PDB file of all heavy atoms in Angstrom:
ATOM      1  N   VAL A 269      13.963 -57.376 -32.607  1.00 98.00           N
ATOM      2  CA  VAL A 269      13.430 -56.101 -32.030  1.00 98.00           C
ATOM      3  C   VAL A 269      14.023 -54.986 -32.830  1.00 98.00           C
ATOM      4  O   VAL A 269      15.255 -54.963 -33.081  1.00 98.00           O
ATOM      5  CB  VAL A 269      13.701 -55.945 -30.546  1.00 98.00           C
ATOM      6  CG1 VAL A 269      13.028 -54.706 -30.000  1.00 98.00           C
ATOM      7  CG2 VAL A 269      13.257 -57.133 -29.787  1.00 98.00           C
ATOM      8  N   LEU A 270      13.191 -54.032 -33.283  1.00 98.00           N
ATOM      9  CA  LEU A 270      13.654 -52.907 -34.085  1.00 98.00           C
ATOM     10  C   LEU A 270      13.765 -51.666 -33.122  1.00 98.00           C
ATOM     11  O   LEU A 270      12.908 -51.329 -32.361  1.00 98.00           O
ATOM     12  CB  LEU A 270      12.582 -52.671 -35.143  1.00 98.00           C
ATOM     13  CG  LEU A 270      13.019 -51.604 -36.228  1.00 98.00           C
ATOM     14  CD1 LEU A 270      14.151 -52.074 -37.008  1.00 98.00           C
ATOM     15  CD2 LEU A 270      11.732 -51.460 -37.163  1.00 98.00           C
ATOM     16  N   PHE A 271      14.983 -50.963 -33.240  1.00 97.00           N
ATOM     17  CA  PHE A 271      15.253 -49.788 -32.343  1.00 97.00           C
ATOM     18  C   PHE A 271      15.490 -48.698 -33.241  1.00 97.00           C
ATOM     19  O   PHE A 271      16.092 -48.700 -34.284  1.00 97.00           O
ATOM     20  CB  PHE A 271      16.533 -50.036 -31.521  1.00 97.00           C
ATOM     21  CG  PHE A 271      16.266 -50.932 -30.298  1.00 97.00           C
ATOM     22  CD1 PHE A 271      16.338 -52.366 -30.437  1.00 97.00           C
ATOM     23  CD2 PHE A 271      16.026 -50.407 -29.044  1.00 97.00           C
ATOM     24  CE1 PHE A 271      16.108 -53.174 -29.335  1.00 97.00           C
ATOM     25  CE2 PHE A 271      15.806 -51.238 -27.941  1.00 97.00           C
ATOM     26  CZ  PHE A 271      15.844 -52.635 -28.093  1.00 97.00           C
ATOM     27  N   SER A 272      15.021 -47.452 -32.823  1.00 97.00           N
ATOM     28  CA  SER A 272      15.341 -46.191 -33.390  1.00 97.00           C
ATOM     29  C   SER A 272      16.569 -45.526 -32.826  1.00 97.00           C
ATOM     30  O   SER A 272      16.554 -45.345 -31.577  1.00 97.00           O
ATOM     31  CB  SER A 272      14.085 -45.312 -33.421  1.00 97.00           C
ATOM     32  OG  SER A 272      14.446 -43.913 -33.717  1.00 97.00           O
ATOM     33  N   ARG A 273      17.494 -45.069 -33.704  1.00 96.00           N
ATOM     34  CA  ARG A 273      18.679 -44.455 -33.163  1.00 96.00           C
ATOM     35  C   ARG A 273      18.514 -42.860 -33.324  1.00 96.00           C
ATOM     36  O   ARG A 273      19.364 -42.075 -32.737  1.00 96.00           O
ATOM     37  CB  ARG A 273      19.878 -44.899 -33.745  1.00 96.00           C
ATOM     38  CG  ARG A 273      20.117 -46.422 -33.818  1.00 96.00           C
ATOM     39  CD  ARG A 273      21.412 -46.784 -34.518  1.00 96.00           C
ATOM     40  NE  ARG A 273      22.550 -46.630 -33.697  1.00 96.00           N
ATOM     41  CZ  ARG A 273      23.786 -46.997 -34.053  1.00 96.00           C
ATOM     42  NH1 ARG A 273      23.977 -47.567 -35.261  1.00 96.00           N
ATOM     43  NH2 ARG A 273      24.778 -46.804 -33.249  1.00 96.00           N
ATOM     44  N   ASP A 274      17.624 -42.499 -34.198  1.00 95.00           N
ATOM     45  CA  ASP A 274      17.502 -41.026 -34.704  1.00 95.00           C
ATOM     46  C   ASP A 274      16.157 -40.494 -34.287  1.00 95.00           C
ATOM     47  O   ASP A 274      15.190 -40.810 -34.940  1.00 95.00           O
ATOM     48  CB  ASP A 274      17.717 -41.076 -36.191  1.00 95.00           C
ATOM     49  CG  ASP A 274      17.545 -39.711 -36.826  1.00 95.00           C
ATOM     50  OD1 ASP A 274      17.739 -38.738 -36.134  1.00 95.00           O
ATOM     51  OD2 ASP A 274      17.050 -39.656 -37.993  1.00 95.00           O
ATOM     52  N   PRO A 275      16.091 -39.551 -33.368  1.00 94.00           N
ATOM     53  CA  PRO A 275      14.785 -39.015 -32.992  1.00 94.00           C
ATOM     54  C   PRO A 275      14.040 -38.361 -34.104  1.00 94.00           C
ATOM     55  O   PRO A 275      12.815 -38.361 -34.214  1.00 94.00           O
ATOM     56  CB  PRO A 275      15.108 -37.999 -31.926  1.00 94.00           C
ATOM     57  CG  PRO A 275      16.447 -38.506 -31.349  1.00 94.00           C
ATOM     58  CD  PRO A 275      17.154 -39.145 -32.467  1.00 94.00           C
ATOM     59  N   ALA A 276      14.817 -37.827 -35.046  1.00 96.00           N
ATOM     60  CA  ALA A 276      14.152 -37.088 -36.200  1.00 96.00           C
ATOM     61  C   ALA A 276      13.397 -37.994 -37.116  1.00 96.00           C
ATOM     62  O   ALA A 276      12.325 -37.560 -37.657  1.00 96.00           O
ATOM     63  CB  ALA A 276      15.283 -36.287 -36.991  1.00 96.00           C
ATOM     64  N   SER A 277      13.805 -39.265 -37.224  1.00 97.00           N
ATOM     65  CA  SER A 277      13.080 -40.149 -38.139  1.00 97.00           C
ATOM     66  C   SER A 277      12.204 -41.133 -37.358  1.00 97.00           C
ATOM     67  O   SER A 277      11.568 -42.045 -37.990  1.00 97.00           O
ATOM     68  CB  SER A 277      14.159 -40.943 -39.018  1.00 97.00           C
ATOM     69  OG  SER A 277      14.931 -41.706 -38.184  1.00 97.00           O
ATOM     70  N   ARG A 278      12.172 -41.010 -36.061  1.00 96.00           N
ATOM     71  CA  ARG A 278      11.547 -42.060 -35.249  1.00 96.00           C
ATOM     72  C   ARG A 278      10.065 -42.232 -35.558  1.00 96.00           C
ATOM     73  O   ARG A 278       9.503 -43.327 -35.683  1.00 96.00           O
ATOM     74  CB  ARG A 278      11.720 -41.693 -33.750  1.00 96.00           C
ATOM     75  CG  ARG A 278      11.292 -42.812 -32.749  1.00 96.00           C
ATOM     76  CD  ARG A 278      11.878 -42.566 -31.393  1.00 96.00           C
ATOM     77  NE  ARG A 278      13.301 -42.671 -31.428  1.00 96.00           N
ATOM     78  CZ  ARG A 278      14.205 -42.167 -30.608  1.00 96.00           C
ATOM     79  NH1 ARG A 278      13.712 -41.465 -29.573  1.00 96.00           N
ATOM     80  NH2 ARG A 278      15.447 -42.342 -30.737  1.00 96.00           N
ATOM     81  N   ASP A 279       9.349 -41.126 -35.650  1.00 96.00           N
ATOM     82  CA  ASP A 279       7.875 -41.153 -35.880  1.00 96.00           C
ATOM     83  C   ASP A 279       7.606 -41.891 -37.215  1.00 96.00           C
ATOM     84  O   ASP A 279       6.526 -42.621 -37.290  1.00 96.00           O
ATOM     85  CB  ASP A 279       7.237 -39.840 -35.840  1.00 96.00           C
ATOM     86  CG  ASP A 279       5.760 -39.912 -35.913  1.00 96.00           C
ATOM     87  OD1 ASP A 279       5.126 -40.442 -34.981  1.00 96.00           O
ATOM     88  OD2 ASP A 279       5.164 -39.476 -36.902  1.00 96.00           O
ATOM     89  N   ALA A 280       8.344 -41.706 -38.225  1.00 97.00           N
ATOM     90  CA  ALA A 280       8.163 -42.366 -39.480  1.00 97.00           C
ATOM     91  C   ALA A 280       8.215 -43.866 -39.361  1.00 97.00           C
ATOM     92  O   ALA A 280       7.409 -44.538 -39.981  1.00 97.00           O
ATOM     93  CB  ALA A 280       9.155 -41.864 -40.547  1.00 97.00           C
ATOM     94  N   TYR A 281       9.095 -44.319 -38.504  1.00 97.00           N
ATOM     95  CA  TYR A 281       9.085 -45.813 -38.289  1.00 97.00           C
ATOM     96  C   TYR A 281       8.131 -46.294 -37.379  1.00 97.00           C
ATOM     97  O   TYR A 281       7.593 -47.380 -37.543  1.00 97.00           O
ATOM     98  CB  TYR A 281      10.534 -46.237 -37.875  1.00 97.00           C
ATOM     99  CG  TYR A 281      11.621 -46.076 -38.919  1.00 97.00           C
ATOM    100  CD1 TYR A 281      12.482 -44.924 -38.947  1.00 97.00           C
ATOM    101  CD2 TYR A 281      11.695 -46.997 -39.990  1.00 97.00           C
ATOM    102  CE1 TYR A 281      13.434 -44.794 -39.971  1.00 97.00           C
ATOM    103  CE2 TYR A 281      12.600 -46.836 -41.043  1.00 97.00           C
ATOM    104  CZ  TYR A 281      13.517 -45.714 -41.033  1.00 97.00           C
ATOM    105  OH  TYR A 281      14.435 -45.476 -41.968  1.00 97.00           O
ATOM    106  N   GLN A 282       7.782 -45.513 -36.345  1.00 96.00           N
ATOM    107  CA  GLN A 282       6.748 -45.849 -35.479  1.00 96.00           C
ATOM    108  C   GLN A 282       5.393 -46.050 -36.224  1.00 96.00           C
ATOM    109  O   GLN A 282       4.466 -46.824 -35.874  1.00 96.00           O
ATOM    110  CB  GLN A 282       6.583 -44.852 -34.327  1.00 96.00           C
ATOM    111  CG  GLN A 282       7.664 -44.967 -33.295  1.00 96.00           C
ATOM    112  CD  GLN A 282       7.622 -43.765 -32.289  1.00 96.00           C
ATOM    113  OE1 GLN A 282       7.129 -42.766 -32.567  1.00 96.00           O
ATOM    114  NE2 GLN A 282       8.091 -44.165 -31.037  1.00 96.00           N
ATOM    115  N   ALA A 283       5.160 -45.226 -37.260  1.00 97.00           N
ATOM    116  CA  ALA A 283       3.943 -45.219 -38.011  1.00 97.00           C
ATOM    117  C   ALA A 283       3.782 -46.593 -38.729  1.00 97.00           C
ATOM    118  O   ALA A 283       2.665 -47.001 -38.993  1.00 97.00           O
ATOM    119  CB  ALA A 283       3.956 -44.152 -39.020  1.00 97.00           C
ATOM    120  N   LEU A 284       4.935 -47.252 -39.056  1.00 97.00           N
ATOM    121  CA  LEU A 284       4.810 -48.530 -39.713  1.00 97.00           C
ATOM    122  C   LEU A 284       3.949 -49.520 -38.748  1.00 97.00           C
ATOM    123  O   LEU A 284       3.183 -50.379 -39.243  1.00 97.00           O
ATOM    124  CB  LEU A 284       6.133 -49.192 -39.959  1.00 97.00           C
ATOM    125  CG  LEU A 284       7.074 -48.427 -40.877  1.00 97.00           C
ATOM    126  CD1 LEU A 284       8.444 -49.060 -40.905  1.00 97.00           C
ATOM    127  CD2 LEU A 284       6.441 -48.510 -42.298  1.00 97.00           C
ATOM    128  N   PHE A 285       4.153 -49.427 -37.475  1.00 95.00           N
ATOM    129  CA  PHE A 285       3.450 -50.297 -36.482  1.00 95.00           C
ATOM    130  C   PHE A 285       2.051 -49.748 -36.287  1.00 95.00           C
ATOM    131  O   PHE A 285       1.050 -50.543 -36.243  1.00 95.00           O
ATOM    132  CB  PHE A 285       4.253 -50.359 -35.243  1.00 95.00           C
ATOM    133  CG  PHE A 285       5.566 -51.015 -35.343  1.00 95.00           C
ATOM    134  CD1 PHE A 285       6.663 -50.294 -35.645  1.00 95.00           C
ATOM    135  CD2 PHE A 285       5.702 -52.377 -35.130  1.00 95.00           C
ATOM    136  CE1 PHE A 285       7.994 -50.927 -35.831  1.00 95.00           C
ATOM    137  CE2 PHE A 285       6.926 -53.071 -35.279  1.00 95.00           C
ATOM    138  CZ  PHE A 285       8.051 -52.300 -35.599  1.00 95.00           C
ATOM    139  N   ARG A 286       1.878 -48.461 -36.116  1.00 94.00           N
ATOM    140  CA  ARG A 286       0.618 -47.919 -35.941  1.00 94.00           C
ATOM    141  C   ARG A 286      -0.377 -48.253 -37.087  1.00 94.00           C
ATOM    142  O   ARG A 286      -1.548 -48.480 -36.876  1.00 94.00           O
ATOM    143  CB  ARG A 286       0.618 -46.446 -35.745  1.00 94.00           C
ATOM    144  CG  ARG A 286       1.276 -45.947 -34.408  1.00 94.00           C
ATOM    145  CD  ARG A 286       0.943 -44.512 -34.116  1.00 94.00           C
ATOM    146  NE  ARG A 286       1.297 -43.575 -35.283  1.00 94.00           N
ATOM    147  CZ  ARG A 286       2.433 -42.875 -35.405  1.00 94.00           C
ATOM    148  NH1 ARG A 286       3.377 -43.086 -34.524  1.00 94.00           N
ATOM    149  NH2 ARG A 286       2.671 -42.110 -36.432  1.00 94.00           N
ATOM    150  N   GLU A 287       0.144 -48.131 -38.315  1.00 95.00           N
ATOM    151  CA  GLU A 287      -0.703 -48.280 -39.508  1.00 95.00           C
ATOM    152  C   GLU A 287      -0.543 -49.710 -40.114  1.00 95.00           C
ATOM    153  O   GLU A 287      -1.101 -49.890 -41.210  1.00 95.00           O
ATOM    154  CB  GLU A 287      -0.195 -47.273 -40.509  1.00 95.00           C
ATOM    155  CG  GLU A 287      -0.363 -45.776 -40.028  1.00 95.00           C
ATOM    156  CD  GLU A 287       0.320 -44.793 -40.936  1.00 95.00           C
ATOM    157  OE1 GLU A 287       0.863 -45.193 -42.051  1.00 95.00           O
ATOM    158  OE2 GLU A 287       0.355 -43.557 -40.499  1.00 95.00           O
ATOM    159  N   ARG A 288       0.036 -50.626 -39.314  1.00 95.00           N
ATOM    160  CA  ARG A 288       0.072 -52.041 -39.740  1.00 95.00           C
ATOM    161  C   ARG A 288       0.776 -52.145 -41.124  1.00 95.00           C
ATOM    162  O   ARG A 288       0.337 -52.949 -41.931  1.00 95.00           O
ATOM    163  CB  ARG A 288      -1.245 -52.708 -39.758  1.00 95.00           C
ATOM    164  CG  ARG A 288      -1.902 -52.620 -38.310  1.00 95.00           C
ATOM    165  CD  ARG A 288      -3.294 -53.169 -38.361  1.00 95.00           C
ATOM    166  NE  ARG A 288      -3.923 -53.046 -37.005  1.00 95.00           N
ATOM    167  CZ  ARG A 288      -5.182 -53.369 -36.827  1.00 95.00           C
ATOM    168  NH1 ARG A 288      -5.939 -53.938 -37.769  1.00 95.00           N
ATOM    169  NH2 ARG A 288      -5.758 -53.179 -35.591  1.00 95.00           N
ATOM    170  N   ARG A 289       1.862 -51.465 -41.333  1.00 96.00           N
ATOM    171  CA  ARG A 289       2.514 -51.566 -42.573  1.00 96.00           C
ATOM    172  C   ARG A 289       3.870 -52.307 -42.482  1.00 96.00           C
ATOM    173  O   ARG A 289       4.721 -52.161 -43.330  1.00 96.00           O
ATOM    174  CB  ARG A 289       2.861 -50.126 -43.118  1.00 96.00           C
ATOM    175  CG  ARG A 289       1.549 -49.468 -43.591  1.00 96.00           C
ATOM    176  CD  ARG A 289       1.844 -48.110 -44.332  1.00 96.00           C
ATOM    177  NE  ARG A 289       2.263 -47.074 -43.419  1.00 96.00           N
ATOM    178  CZ  ARG A 289       3.496 -46.446 -43.417  1.00 96.00           C
ATOM    179  NH1 ARG A 289       4.352 -46.885 -44.267  1.00 96.00           N
ATOM    180  NH2 ARG A 289       3.733 -45.539 -42.506  1.00 96.00           N
ATOM    181  N   ILE A 290       3.944 -53.110 -41.374  1.00 97.00           N
ATOM    182  CA  ILE A 290       5.134 -53.872 -41.166  1.00 97.00           C
ATOM    183  C   ILE A 290       4.702 -55.395 -41.018  1.00 97.00           C
ATOM    184  O   ILE A 290       3.712 -55.670 -40.271  1.00 97.00           O
ATOM    185  CB  ILE A 290       5.921 -53.486 -39.967  1.00 97.00           C
ATOM    186  CG1 ILE A 290       7.258 -54.135 -39.889  1.00 97.00           C
ATOM    187  CG2 ILE A 290       5.246 -53.514 -38.691  1.00 97.00           C
ATOM    188  CD1 ILE A 290       8.336 -53.559 -38.934  1.00 97.00           C
ATOM    189  N   ARG A 291       5.381 -56.307 -41.666  1.00 97.00           N
ATOM    190  CA  ARG A 291       4.956 -57.689 -41.598  1.00 97.00           C
ATOM    191  C   ARG A 291       5.898 -58.400 -40.564  1.00 97.00           C
ATOM    192  O   ARG A 291       7.082 -58.467 -40.712  1.00 97.00           O
ATOM    193  CB  ARG A 291       5.158 -58.415 -42.973  1.00 97.00           C
ATOM    194  CG  ARG A 291       4.685 -59.809 -42.927  1.00 97.00           C
ATOM    195  CD  ARG A 291       4.812 -60.447 -44.336  1.00 97.00           C
ATOM    196  NE  ARG A 291       4.260 -61.753 -44.398  1.00 97.00           N
ATOM    197  CZ  ARG A 291       4.374 -62.576 -45.459  1.00 97.00           C
ATOM    198  NH1 ARG A 291       4.968 -62.134 -46.562  1.00 97.00           N
ATOM    199  NH2 ARG A 291       3.830 -63.770 -45.410  1.00 97.00           N
ATOM    200  N   LYS A 292       5.251 -58.917 -39.541  1.00 97.00           N
ATOM    201  CA  LYS A 292       5.978 -59.593 -38.505  1.00 97.00           C
ATOM    202  C   LYS A 292       5.621 -61.110 -38.508  1.00 97.00           C
ATOM    203  O   LYS A 292       4.373 -61.468 -38.519  1.00 97.00           O
ATOM    204  CB  LYS A 292       5.569 -59.033 -37.065  1.00 97.00           C
ATOM    205  CG  LYS A 292       5.939 -57.548 -36.919  1.00 97.00           C
ATOM    206  CD  LYS A 292       5.496 -56.991 -35.605  1.00 97.00           C
ATOM    207  CE  LYS A 292       3.954 -56.817 -35.618  1.00 97.00           C
ATOM    208  NZ  LYS A 292       3.512 -56.207 -34.371  1.00 97.00           N
ATOM    209  N   ARG A 293       6.510 -61.948 -38.500  1.00 98.00           N
ATOM    210  CA  ARG A 293       6.313 -63.426 -38.607  1.00 98.00           C
ATOM    211  C   ARG A 293       7.035 -64.079 -37.463  1.00 98.00           C
ATOM    212  O   ARG A 293       8.229 -63.827 -37.183  1.00 98.00           O
ATOM    213  CB  ARG A 293       6.936 -63.911 -39.968  1.00 98.00           C
ATOM    214  CG  ARG A 293       6.443 -65.410 -40.238  1.00 98.00           C
ATOM    215  CD  ARG A 293       6.919 -65.820 -41.679  1.00 98.00           C
ATOM    216  NE  ARG A 293       6.660 -67.229 -41.921  1.00 98.00           N
ATOM    217  CZ  ARG A 293       5.562 -67.683 -42.466  1.00 98.00           C
ATOM    218  NH1 ARG A 293       4.582 -66.849 -42.796  1.00 98.00           N
ATOM    219  NH2 ARG A 293       5.361 -68.964 -42.731  1.00 98.00           N
ATOM    220  N   TYR A 294       6.286 -64.902 -36.685  1.00 98.00           N
ATOM    221  CA  TYR A 294       6.787 -65.628 -35.556  1.00 98.00           C
ATOM    222  C   TYR A 294       6.780 -67.104 -35.859  1.00 98.00           C
ATOM    223  O   TYR A 294       6.019 -67.563 -36.735  1.00 98.00           O
ATOM    224  CB  TYR A 294       5.963 -65.369 -34.361  1.00 98.00           C
ATOM    225  CG  TYR A 294       5.998 -63.931 -33.788  1.00 98.00           C
ATOM    226  CD1 TYR A 294       5.391 -62.839 -34.464  1.00 98.00           C
ATOM    227  CD2 TYR A 294       6.563 -63.667 -32.566  1.00 98.00           C
ATOM    228  CE1 TYR A 294       5.380 -61.573 -34.050  1.00 98.00           C
ATOM    229  CE2 TYR A 294       6.641 -62.343 -32.058  1.00 98.00           C
ATOM    230  CZ  TYR A 294       6.015 -61.374 -32.772  1.00 98.00           C
ATOM    231  OH  TYR A 294       6.061 -60.100 -32.306  1.00 98.00           O
ATOM    232  N   GLU A 295       7.518 -67.871 -35.054  1.00 98.00           N
ATOM    233  CA  GLU A 295       7.410 -69.343 -35.053  1.00 98.00           C
ATOM    234  C   GLU A 295       7.170 -69.787 -33.602  1.00 98.00           C
ATOM    235  O   GLU A 295       7.671 -69.195 -32.660  1.00 98.00           O
ATOM    236  CB  GLU A 295       8.681 -69.925 -35.561  1.00 98.00           C
ATOM    237  CG  GLU A 295       8.899 -69.721 -37.079  1.00 98.00           C
ATOM    238  CD  GLU A 295      10.221 -70.369 -37.574  1.00 98.00           C
ATOM    239  OE1 GLU A 295      10.783 -71.176 -36.919  1.00 98.00           O
ATOM    240  OE2 GLU A 295      10.623 -70.016 -38.726  1.00 98.00           O
ATOM    241  N   ALA A 296       6.468 -70.906 -33.512  1.00 98.00           N
ATOM    242  CA  ALA A 296       6.127 -71.361 -32.170  1.00 98.00           C
ATOM    243  C   ALA A 296       6.159 -72.886 -32.275  1.00 98.00           C
ATOM    244  O   ALA A 296       5.781 -73.499 -33.321  1.00 98.00           O
ATOM    245  CB  ALA A 296       4.855 -70.907 -31.654  1.00 98.00           C
TER     246      ALA A 296
END
């Protein structure tokens, strides 16, 4: 799980998820 510690940069990292620019890989 990825957490933001800095409110000033938070939206830039949230945009990775909104814009599908982060690769998430799961195993099951």
Side-chain angles (χ1 to χ4, degrees):
V269 183
L270 188 63
F271 285 83
S272 166
R273 308 180 79 175
D274 172 31
S277 62
R278 186 163 299 160
D279 187 65
Y281 290 105
Q282 287 174 330
L284 295 173
F285 295 89
R286 290 196 306 267
E287 299 168 8
R288 300 179 185 175
R289 292 187 286 117
I290 187 164
R291 185 178 183 184
K292 298 176 286 183
R293 188 174 176 90
Y294 291 72
E295 292 180 14

